[in-house]
Amino acid sequence: MEKFHPFLYFDIFPGLSAYPNIVYSWLVMAFLIASSLLITKALQKIPVGGQNLFEAIFDGFSAFMEGPLGSEGRPFFPLVFTLGTYIFLCNVIGILPGFMAPTSNLNTNVGCALTVFFATHYVGLKRNGMAYLKHFTGPIIWLAPLMIPIEIISHLSRPLSLTLRLFGNITGEELVLGVLMLLCLQIFLPVPWAMQMFVIFGSFIQAFVFTLLTMIYIAGSLEGHDHDEEHGHEAAHAH
């Protein structure tokens, strides 16, 4: 899919000029790998410098995961944290002149959304076995003919929703920022720093929402059919 962009970005690798989202995704991944290697090559019992910052981020994110996932969410920390960090950096890199946000391209977002989709169902099947499929039948078995199509549509809409929400917001931010920068260049005004700060904040919010929804989906697959049956019995008793 062609990049819809109001201003030019650096053509770093001429042979890949048709796929700028891949190139800038590689840049983000290279930065994450390099920073991780630099921090972890000399770990100390008493953290200092970059190690102290990274551990504070890890502790804060781990505490944040406790809400949606509880103690069972620890095995999914690498997936959720890496995905959130990657999306945030892909969002925010677009504020740099000559760079583009890979998440303003649908292909990048589809890849992230499908990762969440397949990981969610893998977790559900691994945790509950084939009993996970009962999750699609609803709390009462005689409602299965109605619930199965609804559940299938609901689950298939998740990657679509994740993709389009991230794409729309990041593309909109880049369009606004690009237009403002072009106006500033034409009338010799300083760079709109306030708008750039707003874009950074918006980039964080979009990464936060994507990560939060990922945790909610994983939590739902962990609860499985037992959770549905429990709510079904509660509803029956209430009536």
Side-chain angles (χ1 to χ4, degrees):
M1 181 177 179
E2 291 187 3
K3 173 68 178 131
F4 179 56
H5 216 276
F7 54 91
L8 299 177
Y9 42 79
F10 294 131
D11 190 7
I12 300 175
F13 301 108
L16 295 174
S17 58
Y19 309 99
N21 61 305
I22 296 178
V23 174
Y24 286 93
S25 292
W26 286 348
L27 286 179
V28 171
M29 289 187 287
F31 173 79
L32 288 173
I33 293 171
S35 59
S36 299
L37 291 175
L38 288 174
I39 296 300
T40 57
K41 72 175 184 179
L43 293 178
Q44 302 178 20
K45 292 184 178 180
I46 301 177
V48 295
Q51 182 183 342
N52 195 19
L53 174 62
F54 269 62
E55 289 191 8
I57 295 174
F58 290 164
D59 290 341
F61 197 90
S62 179
F64 168 62
M65 288 183 62
E66 287 287 334
L69 292 173
S71 58
E72 294 182 338
R74 292 181 180 177
F76 311 107
F77 178 87
L79 170 65
V80 178
F81 180 78
T82 303
L83 193 61
T85 306
Y86 169 76
I87 290 175
F88 171 70
L89 291 179
C90 284
N91 293 345
V92 81
I93 194 176
I95 70 170
L96 300 175
F99 287 75
M100 68 161 281
T103 43
S104 63
N105 184 290
L106 276 175
N107 298 315
T108 303
N109 302 340
V110 167
C112 294
L114 289 179
T115 299
V116 174
F117 178 78
F118 288 116
T120 298
H121 295 295
Y122 171 77
V123 168
L125 289 170
K126 184 178 181 181
R127 171 69 179 270
N128 303 293
M130 296 307 294
Y132 173 69
L133 298 179
K134 296 179 180 179
H135 179 76
F136 294 86
T137 63
I140 304 174
I141 191 61
W142 56 266
L143 285 176
L146 175 63
M147 294 300 299
I148 289 176
I150 293 176
E151 287 290 335
I152 291 175
I153 294 173
S154 173
H155 282 263
L156 290 178
S157 68
R158 290 178 178 180
L160 180 64
S161 173
L162 290 173
T163 297
L164 295 181
R165 180 188 296 107
L166 186 59
F167 169 75
N169 282 281
I170 300 304
T171 301
E173 290 176 356
E174 285 209 331
L175 286 170
V176 173
L177 185 61
V179 170
L180 287 177
M181 285 190 169
L182 288 175
L183 289 175
C184 290
L185 290 175
Q186 290 182 1
I187 58 179
F188 304 103
L189 288 177
V191 177
W193 298 109
M195 186 59 200
Q196 287 184 318
M197 294 300 104
F198 176 78
V199 169
I200 293 174
F201 177 73
S203 299
F204 172 78
I205 292 299
Q206 294 308 313
F208 174 83
V209 170
F210 197 103
T211 304
L212 181 61
L213 289 175
T214 299
M215 291 188 287
I216 292 174
Y217 296 155
I218 292 176
S221 66
L222 287 173
E223 290 170 348
H225 184 58
D226 293 338
H227 182 262
D228 292 335
E229 287 184 338
E230 179 183 344
H231 282 273
H233 291 319
E234 289 177 358
H237 287 308
H239 289 291

